Amino acid sequence: MNCSRVRRSLPLLAGKDLPAGKARRVEKHLEKCPGCRQKIEEIRATLAGVRAIADRTSLDWPEADWRRLMARVKSESPKPRLRPLLLPGLARRSWAYAAATVLVLSTGILVLRIVRPRSTSAMLEETATSTPAQPGRALGREQALLAFSPLDRPFRVYADRKSPKQVMLAAGPVPGKPAQEMMSMTLVSQKTGLQVHWTWNRNFEWEEKKK
Amino acid sequence: MVELVLSGRTDAFEPLVTPYRKLLLTLAYRLSRNTEEAKEISQETLLRAFRYLRSFDRKRSFKNWLLQIEMNVWRSLATKAPDEATLRQMANNSAPEEPEGSLDQKEAREKLLSCLEELSPREREVFLLRDIEGRSVKEAAEILRLSGIAVRVHLSKAREKVRELIKDRFPELLENRG
């Protein structure tokens, strides 16, 4: 753990409010970091000071005010228990209503899928035409550049007509082009600019794992 | 005792809440930093507790239920707080029963409470319950109707802010005790 991460946990550790596992990790860091040790000592001293001051603070009602208040309370009467307006006991059975809603919705979706299989298949017939991403780290750059071409339409997504729910992804040979052997995907964080490259072969085995 | 009150024995309400009269008033004072407002908060808390006693879940702690009502009352009053200067004037004029302690202790307490005013309402509530009232994180979560994680997040921020405020403004508070 680095100092900035540890320091975020120090206010909780100082009051013994950090879960045990994390507390052990932070304490291990404190053993070898004088800066963080000093910081936690400051927080502990603050908390001890606050508690010492607060311990002596105690207010009480003037007896006359208390009597007046109790007399006022006794002049009222407790209100009846609040009940749901539409159905009594609705709140107690809310989990059952939630489960029923989920069941109805999922049945509806299932029925729609069965009734309209052709439109779903048609949608899946579309061919993936994405431009190949930058080569992954696991590949040699030259090798990857040879494997990819912006004109390639390497992978095809289609649904089997006999079993429309099953989606197939095939690395089919494009006429006049060699079969696509590899595919890569790059994820770029918009916040930090961090890039993650994933590379697969035609059997969708992660290339990096093999190496 | 709750059953007695609900069965019509309203006089049983006083022994039911008497053990918490100091606690409610002191917590209200720590939240509002004003004795008149603290009385108003505690009074409204007890009135609401009586009115809605039938809604009290017997499986819960009665004390935590009272504290939860008090937090709600404070929040609703804080949002429509009129003029702070007027309230201070009221507090000065009414000369209520001050917390016990010497002048130094009162001064230290006022300094501490002035630091708490810099916290957000949630941070103040969590800090008061955990670090001054000594409630556990779980109890604070129950009283404030928050998750344990949310309580820890507010608590961490509150402690860090209080440390910085005391260090910058009133370092003597810690030196005297070091």
Side-chain angles (χ1 to χ4, degrees):
Chain A
M1 286 180 107
N2 58 31
C3 287
S4 70
R5 229 179 127 190
V6 164
R7 287 188 183 199
R8 282 201 297 270
S9 305
L10 293 183
L12 289 179
L13 183 68
K16 297 177 182 167
D17 294 310
L18 209 57
K22 197 166 182 186
R24 271 196 298 277
R25 288 199 294 278
V26 175
E27 276 161 359
K28 211 170 170 182
H29 173 92
L30 290 178
E31 283 170 15
K32 53 187 178 183
C33 180
C36 291
R37 267 205 309 276
Q38 190 194 340
K39 181 92 190 284
I40 198 168
E41 286 312 320
E42 276 181 29
I43 303 171
R44 280 182 181 145
T46 306
L47 286 182
V50 163
R51 283 171 186 159
I53 295 165
D55 276 350
R56 286 191 290 271
T57 312
S58 173
L59 275 178
D60 197 6
W61 284 87
E63 209 48 45
D65 287 359
W66 180 254
R67 293 274 128 240
R68 256 197 307 278
L69 172 60
M70 285 299 115
R72 191 178 158 193
V73 168
K74 283 170 199 166
S75 70
E76 301 213 0
S77 54
K79 289 189 176 181
R81 186 196 295 271
L82 294 173
R83 290 185 186 283
L85 292 174
L86 295 176
L87 293 168
L90 180 72
R92 266 175 291 151
R93 294 197 295 265
S94 56
W95 63 269
Y97 291 106
T101 310
V102 170
L103 192 68
V104 167
L105 281 176
S106 43
T107 311
I109 291 167
L110 196 67
V111 166
L112 278 176
R113 280 181 162 226
I114 293 167
V115 170
R116 305 177 59 194
R118 285 197 63 78
S119 61
T120 315
S121 326
M123 192 173 69
L124 292 171
E125 282 279 358
E126 286 178 11
T127 308
T129 59
S130 60
T131 307
Q134 290 295 309
R137 274 178 302 166
L139 295 173
R141 188 171 173 79
E142 286 75 15
Q143 186 192 359
L145 285 174
L146 281 174
F148 293 120
S149 153
L151 297 174
D152 276 351
R153 301 172 71 181
F155 289 89
R156 202 162 157 262
V157 183
Y158 66 93
D160 190 341
R161 290 203 183 279
K162 287 176 189 169
S163 51
K165 281 184 188 169
Q166 196 174 1
V167 178
M168 306 291 284
L169 191 64
V174 178
K177 299 269 178 188
Q180 180 75 46
E181 292 292 335
M182 294 184 191
M183 182 183 182
S184 76
M185 183 165 77
T186 307
L187 305 174
V188 183
S189 164
Q190 288 186 335
K191 271 190 182 169
T192 60
L194 178 75
Q195 295 191 9
V196 178
H197 301 284
W198 287 350
T199 308
W200 298 275
N201 65 15
R202 60 183 301 155
N203 298 320
F204 274 83
E205 289 161 345
W206 189 28
E207 278 294 299
E208 210 164 38
K209 259 186 180 173
K210 286 171 111 182
K211 298 197 171 184
Chain B
M1 199 80 87
V2 173
E3 296 300 336
L4 266 181
V5 179
L6 292 177
S7 68
R9 292 273 309 278
T10 52
D11 54 329
F13 187 72
E14 187 173 350
L16 179 67
V17 295
T18 297
Y20 314 115
R21 63 183 250 185
K22 275 189 184 180
L23 172 74
L24 291 175
L25 190 65
T26 307
L27 180 63
Y29 177 74
R30 284 168 179 165
L31 285 165
S32 64
R33 249 196 106 199
N34 179 293
T35 39
E36 280 307 307
E37 208 180 337
K39 277 195 206 167
E40 195 186 339
I41 292 169
S42 304
Q43 176 173 303
E44 184 58 27
T45 302
L46 291 168
L47 283 169
R48 282 193 199 180
F50 184 73
R51 283 180 203 141
Y52 299 105
L53 197 58
R54 279 187 214 284
S55 310
F56 168 60
D57 179 358
R58 315 294 151 82
K59 285 175 265 177
R60 287 186 64 192
S61 142
F62 184 69
K63 181 160 73 171
N64 286 353
W65 185 65
L66 283 178
L67 293 176
Q68 187 192 341
I69 296 174
E70 183 156 81
M71 290 294 178
N72 291 338
V73 171
W74 176 66
R75 240 174 276 139
S76 63
L77 283 180
T79 52
K80 58 173 182 183
D83 178 4
E84 198 172 327
T86 315
L87 289 171
R88 279 178 197 282
Q89 192 63 40
M90 281 164 63
N92 290 336
N93 292 341
S94 60
E97 285 185 19
E98 277 292 303
E100 302 127 20
S102 68
L103 196 64
D104 280 355
Q105 287 162 357
K106 282 180 185 170
E107 203 183 318
R109 191 191 65 235
E110 284 306 311
K111 284 176 178 172
L112 169 65
L113 292 179
S114 76
C115 290
L116 299 191
E117 276 188 347
E118 302 290 318
L119 306 180
S120 75
R122 262 298 184 234
E123 287 164 0
R124 205 185 317 179
E125 289 166 3
V126 168
F127 187 81
L128 280 173
L129 286 173
R130 176 73 190 104
D131 286 332
I132 296 186
E133 298 296 329
R135 312 266 140 215
S136 67
V137 167
K138 198 179 165 193
E139 281 177 311
E142 189 195 329
I143 291 165
L144 298 170
R145 293 284 185 189
L146 291 174
S147 68
I149 292 172
V151 168
R152 284 193 175 92
V153 168
H154 291 300
L155 187 61
S156 180
K157 284 185 191 165
R159 282 177 180 164
E160 187 57 32
K161 279 188 191 175
V162 170
R163 183 192 68 83
E164 280 173 14
L165 286 164
I166 291 183
K167 195 177 172 187
D168 292 347
R169 295 186 192 172
F170 313 114
E172 72 277 6
L173 283 184
L174 302 181
E175 282 161 16
N176 294 343
R177 278 152 236 283

